[in-house]
Amino acid sequence: MIFLLKRLTTRALTYGPLSLFLLVSLYPLIWLLFYSFKDNEEIFSTNVFGIPKHWRWENYSNAFDVFDIVGYFKNSLIVSIGTVVFTVILALMFSYAAARMKWRFANASRVYMTSGMFIPMQIILIPLLILERTLHLQNSYLAVIVPYVAFQLSFATIIFYAFFKSLPYEIEESAAIDGASVYTIFFKIMVPLVKPAIASVSIFVFLFAWNEFLVALIMISENTLKTLPLGLLYFQTQFGSDWGAMGAVMVISTIPTIIVYLLFSEQIEKALTVSSAVKG
Amino acid sequence: MNNKMKKPALTLMTLSMVALALAACGSNNDNSASSDPSPSASASASASSTPAESPAPEAGSVKLKFYAQYSGVEIPVYDAAKEAMKQIMPEVDVEFEVAAQDDEQKIKTYAAAGSLPDIFFASSGLIETLKKSDNLYVMDDIVKANNIEALLNDSSKPMLWNKDGHSYSVPNVGQWAGIIYYNKELFEQNGVKVPTMYSEMLEAVKAFKAKDITPLAVFAKEKWPAALLLDMAIVGSGDVGGLKKLDNGEGNFSEDAFVKGSQKISELVAAGLISKNAFNTTADDAAAQFASGKAAMYVNGAWSMANIFEKLGDKVDIMYTPLADTAGSWNMSGGGFNQGFAVSKNSKKAEIAAKYAALFSIEFAKQRVIQLADPNSILVEKLVPTNGLNTIQQKYSDDSVNFKTMTTFAWGYENAKFKTFIEDNSQKLLSGQKTDDFISDSNKALETARK
């Protein structure tokens, strides 16, 4: 009896906090789902946290009827994937050059690149707008992709630099002895070794680009180029908003980020074991 | 090329093509205001003066960017006005861009970078800012040439002109008053007298507080409702100029009405006027609290009547001046000002855009009455709302002829420094700041704002 009691206590002590953690972690998503089926009264006053009293499926039909969700979704995908591709490629090449090659300004360039993390977006908006207008980039996908890449390069560079630094030089030496060129070493040996880092960076950069609002708001005016966060403005009027319909759009727009995370999460875990690439 | 180089080179080529494709997909193909003026556009510009000599402009040949609150219930109003404008100026085609609720950040950034849309909605505060930076097209000639003033009713005519004597936009809505909505059912159930003056308001606040009902739902996450309440209290204490008078450069906070008004707010706050969460409460949140019966009263502009009636029906009614010293005052807070659809001075088709904006404002005002049952028309023309007026809209429509004076809403203040500090200080007062401190702080800030 005492043994059973002890076992139950141990289980409760183990699973209790874990269940609480699970609930705290998952509830925001569940709450978002609930709120996408409510109206403003339920969301703000009568039923803030509970299950919808009346399931308002019309919020979802509004999301598709009133709101060009397919168009905004497509734009968000193009912008986010474009940002990820360019950021990863540029950051990978720069980090490799800064971490593994010997050249005069390697360290200074790295510090310069990472210093971009300390520049707030708001203060560069006006010069950025003038620059984009001059370069005829305004109202194109590149109008947001280019600044997004520029802002994310600092972060991506830090991650990749740390990974490249941690790899043993013997890998490249062996490849060079076997006759591999710099490009072969980079693309065929080093890049595969930092795949976990690429996955991590891709997730963060994708989430950033998917959710970003301010730069997109200023740089994009064409309705056909607007991303999902901009599209949500359709539900905001001067003196009120349809929060239920906005919730429905947010639920739909959350799906890709969850998919991206599920696809790459395993790679992130592997990031911790990258130093075991070469044994002995 | 050797084999070792082939793959990296191919990868780079592919990426370059992706980049080019993206750039091409998103390239700005619109031939709107930024493009060179077309012959037909030029023709249309001069059409009014010499119609017989000019060829008829091609329909939709002049494309203009129109940045406005094209969302929610106003979408049909904009669409109908645009449709009506096709009969008046068929050569013009406008593309609406949805304005963000971003405290005018986007439009100000555009102005700073010299990229304003052809037509955009401008509040009077924004008009003052853009006037200084020489970004606004002066519409005086357009207003006169199209006889716009004759289309407006007497109370709306002053809104056509800025205090400097020029017109920068044709108003598209009327002079809304600041209103306190109340839940009739809650007042009856709790045996509380509907306040007609300050002393009764104080009693009502105490009574609802004692019953654990929020007396007044205020969305103090936004700053203007606090300024509106203070303005109501000042106007109700004997100075009909309210905060607008200070914005105009007259008076200070030490005057009797200002001290008394501030004391009224302090006293009401101490009695439990607002909820603890008022400063985290958005407009939707406050409206939801009021609609669900958790708050007895709700402060907002008269423009919310349709929305609130939709939620509460006959349970809701309106009161105008419950912060006045005596009952029956018709000196109002709120109001209207020279704001509406403005035009960028740098637009390549500024003259056409100005004519379009001016006439569009009139069509917009018509459609607001017809489609949204706006009881506060700016027009001489008598229009009938499709669905008629609801009870409180009818009451407002009947009562509005009695309004003696009006002030303005916070976004109507023209001194940007004054607007900033009065919004901040009103919030402090609403959060429980002592009256003496409020008066002293505000007088200091007023001096700085007027330098």
Side-chain angles (χ1 to χ4, degrees):
Chain A
M1 185 67 188
I2 294 167
F3 173 73
L4 196 68
L5 205 66
K6 265 188 179 176
R7 211 168 126 184
L8 276 173
T9 313
T10 314
R11 284 197 169 182
L13 285 173
T14 311
Y15 289 108
L18 284 176
S19 305
L20 193 68
F21 179 72
L22 182 75
L23 190 72
V24 169
S25 305
L26 282 183
Y27 187 73
L29 274 179
I30 296 167
W31 180 80
L32 176 65
L33 189 68
F34 286 167
Y35 130 64
S36 71
F37 288 102
K38 296 177 182 176
D39 62 5
N40 283 9
E41 266 73 63
E42 275 198 79
I43 292 168
F44 289 114
S45 181
T46 54
N47 181 23
V48 180
F49 300 108
I51 297 168
K53 288 172 185 166
H54 168 68
W55 293 79
R56 294 171 199 279
W57 291 98
E58 65 268 24
N59 288 344
Y60 280 84
S61 61
N62 280 346
F64 284 95
D65 295 344
V66 181
F67 184 80
D68 179 18
I69 196 164
V70 177
Y72 297 135
F73 212 92
K74 180 198 80 179
N75 292 336
S76 277
L77 266 182
I78 291 173
V79 166
S80 303
I81 291 172
T83 305
V84 169
V85 169
F86 285 114
T87 306
V88 167
I89 289 170
L90 294 173
L92 265 177
M93 293 195 290
F94 176 81
S95 306
Y96 181 70
R100 313 294 291 191
M101 293 177 169
K102 285 193 166 66
W103 45 293
R104 202 171 177 184
F105 299 111
N107 206 35
S109 306
R110 184 179 61 81
V111 172
Y112 171 73
M113 184 68 89
T114 50
S115 65
M117 285 188 81
F118 305 104
I119 298 173
M121 252 183 198
Q122 286 83 351
I123 64 163
I124 56 114
L125 274 180
I126 295 172
L128 184 64
L129 180 59
I130 295 171
L131 191 69
E132 292 208 349
R133 198 185 56 207
T134 312
L135 295 172
H136 300 288
L137 284 180
Q138 209 182 346
N139 279 326
S140 71
Y141 290 126
L142 288 179
V144 283
I145 292 175
V146 171
Y148 288 176
V149 171
F151 269 99
Q152 293 301 299
L153 270 179
S154 307
F155 158 74
T157 300
I158 289 173
I159 305 285
F160 290 144
Y161 180 86
F163 266 76
F164 280 127
K165 267 288 183 196
S166 69
L167 295 175
Y169 281 95
E170 288 81 358
I171 300 173
E172 284 155 296
E173 285 168 4
S174 309
I177 290 167
D178 288 344
S181 70
V182 172
Y183 294 100
T184 309
I185 292 172
F186 177 70
F187 284 111
K188 289 197 167 172
I189 297 169
M190 302 308 276
V191 170
L193 282 175
V194 294
K195 266 200 294 192
I198 295 173
S200 309
V201 168
S202 298
I203 286 181
F204 284 108
V205 174
F206 185 90
L207 291 181
F208 164 83
W210 188 262
N211 294 322
E212 205 283 333
F213 177 77
L214 186 64
V215 170
L217 173 72
I218 302 295
M219 301 305 157
I220 293 182
S221 299
E222 294 286 333
N223 287 331
T224 51
L225 293 173
K226 283 184 175 172
T227 53
L228 273 167
L230 292 185
L232 285 175
L233 290 175
Y234 269 113
F235 294 109
Q236 293 183 333
T237 61
Q238 199 170 356
F239 302 110
S241 304
D242 184 352
W243 288 97
M246 283 171 81
V249 173
M250 283 190 269
V251 167
I252 297 165
S253 63
T254 304
I255 294 168
T257 56
I258 293 173
I259 291 171
V260 167
Y261 180 77
L262 292 176
L263 286 176
F264 289 99
S265 59
E266 201 181 329
Q267 294 292 328
I268 293 178
E269 287 166 26
K270 284 181 185 170
L272 298 170
T273 56
V274 68
S275 57
S276 62
V278 174
K279 291 179 182 173
Chain B
M1 192 184 286
N2 75 36
N3 273 340
K4 287 175 184 173
M5 289 293 289
K6 255 185 189 169
K7 274 199 174 176
L10 275 172
T11 313
L12 281 172
M13 275 175 62
T14 312
L15 286 168
S16 308
M17 285 168 67
V18 170
L20 278 172
L22 283 170
C25 286
S27 68
N28 185 3
N29 290 326
D30 90 274
N31 299 316
S32 64
S34 55
S35 60
D36 291 330
S38 64
S40 56
S42 308
S44 79
S46 59
S48 56
S49 54
T50 53
E53 295 164 17
S54 309
E58 195 184 323
S61 58
V62 182
K63 297 196 184 300
L64 299 174
K65 287 270 184 193
F66 197 142
Y67 182 79
Q69 197 64 55
Y70 182 71
S71 57
V73 291
E74 297 217 323
I75 290 177
V77 178
Y78 277 100
D79 286 343
K82 182 180 171 179
E83 204 55 36
M85 286 302 294
K86 281 183 184 168
Q87 308 299 316
I88 304 166
M89 293 178 75
E91 72 278 18
V92 177
D93 182 26
V94 292
E95 187 192 345
F96 293 118
E97 185 189 350
V98 186
Q101 295 299 312
D102 62 348
D103 208 15
E104 299 171 338
Q105 190 180 357
K106 178 168 181 169
I107 201 78
K108 284 177 179 167
T109 308
Y110 275 5
S115 297
L116 278 172
D118 301 287
I119 304 171
F120 53 95
F121 177 79
S123 65
S124 58
L126 183 63
I127 284 177
E128 292 307 311
T129 308
L130 299 187
K131 257 167 63 182
K132 283 177 193 159
S133 57
D134 198 24
N135 270 296
L136 281 182
Y137 184 88
V138 180
M139 299 175 80
D140 299 5
D141 293 341
I142 300 287
V143 166
K144 286 169 191 162
N146 293 282
N147 211 13
I148 299 289
E149 196 156 13
L151 302 173
L152 304 181
N153 57 33
D154 286 343
S155 66
S156 305
K157 277 176 186 165
M159 297 196 298
L160 190 54
W161 304 102
N162 191 273
K163 64 180 178 184
D164 66 4
H166 294 294
S167 181
Y168 297 97
S169 66
V170 173
N172 58 355
V173 291
Q175 299 210 59
W176 293 113
I179 278 179
I180 291 184
Y181 297 85
Y182 68 96
N183 186 326
K184 287 192 283 185
E185 205 173 76
L186 270 185
F187 273 80
E188 280 164 18
Q189 283 169 358
N190 294 284
V192 181
K193 184 180 185 303
V194 176
T196 57
M197 55 194 285
Y198 175 70
S199 54
E200 291 170 359
M201 180 70 170
L202 186 60
E203 288 310 309
V205 168
K206 286 176 182 169
F208 281 116
K209 183 68 184 170
K211 303 256 181 186
D212 211 21
I213 296 167
T214 303
L216 182 71
V218 183
F219 45 106
K221 194 170 184 180
E222 291 182 37
K223 292 180 176 180
W224 68 266
L228 174 65
L229 276 174
L230 177 62
D231 189 67
M232 283 177 163
I234 293 166
V235 171
S237 301
D239 197 322
V240 297
L243 293 171
K244 186 183 179 186
K245 174 179 148 181
L246 302 180
D247 180 47
N248 288 342
E250 301 162 40
N252 62 53
F253 286 92
S254 301
E255 290 177 10
D256 284 351
F258 289 84
V259 173
K260 205 171 172 185
S262 311
Q263 283 168 344
K264 283 179 181 173
I265 298 293
S266 286
E267 198 173 18
L268 289 170
V269 169
L273 178 72
I274 59 173
S275 75
K276 286 177 189 167
N277 297 325
F279 295 94
N280 288 321
T281 301
T282 62
D284 295 316
D285 195 345
Q289 283 175 27
F290 179 62
S292 62
K294 288 188 176 174
M297 292 174 278
Y298 170 60
V299 62
N300 206 332
W303 56 78
S304 294
M305 284 184 288
N307 186 33
I308 291 171
F309 190 82
E310 191 186 321
K311 289 170 181 163
L312 280 157
D314 286 329
K315 282 199 284 186
V316 71
D317 204 345
I318 52 178
M319 54 176 108
Y320 302 109
T321 55
L323 301 182
D325 289 337
T326 53
S329 168
W330 288 109
N331 295 316
M332 312 297 290
S333 278
F337 22 79
N338 183 214
Q339 66 162 25
F341 301 123
V343 170
S344 167
K345 191 180 184 181
N346 301 318
S347 165
K348 294 253 169 87
K349 288 156 187 157
E351 198 179 340
I352 299 174
K355 185 179 173 188
Y356 190 90
L359 298 177
F360 187 93
S361 295
I362 301 299
E363 293 304 325
F364 183 88
K366 276 185 195 171
Q367 293 302 329
R368 271 192 64 87
V369 176
I370 295 166
Q371 302 201 30
L372 298 183
D374 182 343
N376 194 26
S377 173
I378 61 170
L379 304 169
V380 173
E381 186 181 350
K382 295 294 170 209
L383 298 154
V384 181
T386 310
N387 297 318
L389 297 176
N390 66 42
T391 319
I392 49 175
Q393 282 172 331
Q394 188 61 57
K395 180 177 181 181
Y396 184 87
S397 180
D398 296 341
D399 289 342
S400 59
V401 293
N402 298 317
F403 294 173
K404 277 188 199 165
T405 57
M406 279 205 171
T407 57
T408 185
F409 289 99
W411 54 90
Y413 299 143
E414 292 174 358
N415 182 333
K417 285 182 190 169
F418 174 77
K419 178 179 183 290
T420 305
F421 92 72
I422 195 60
E423 286 187 334
D424 290 345
N425 287 11
S426 304
Q427 277 201 323
K428 284 182 195 166
L429 186 66
L430 201 60
S431 68
Q433 189 187 30
K434 287 181 181 168
T435 314
D436 292 347
D437 293 340
F438 169 76
I439 299 288
S440 157
D441 290 354
S442 298
N443 272 334
K444 279 181 199 162
L446 192 62
E447 273 180 40
T448 313
R450 286 177 179 170
K451 277 179 187 168

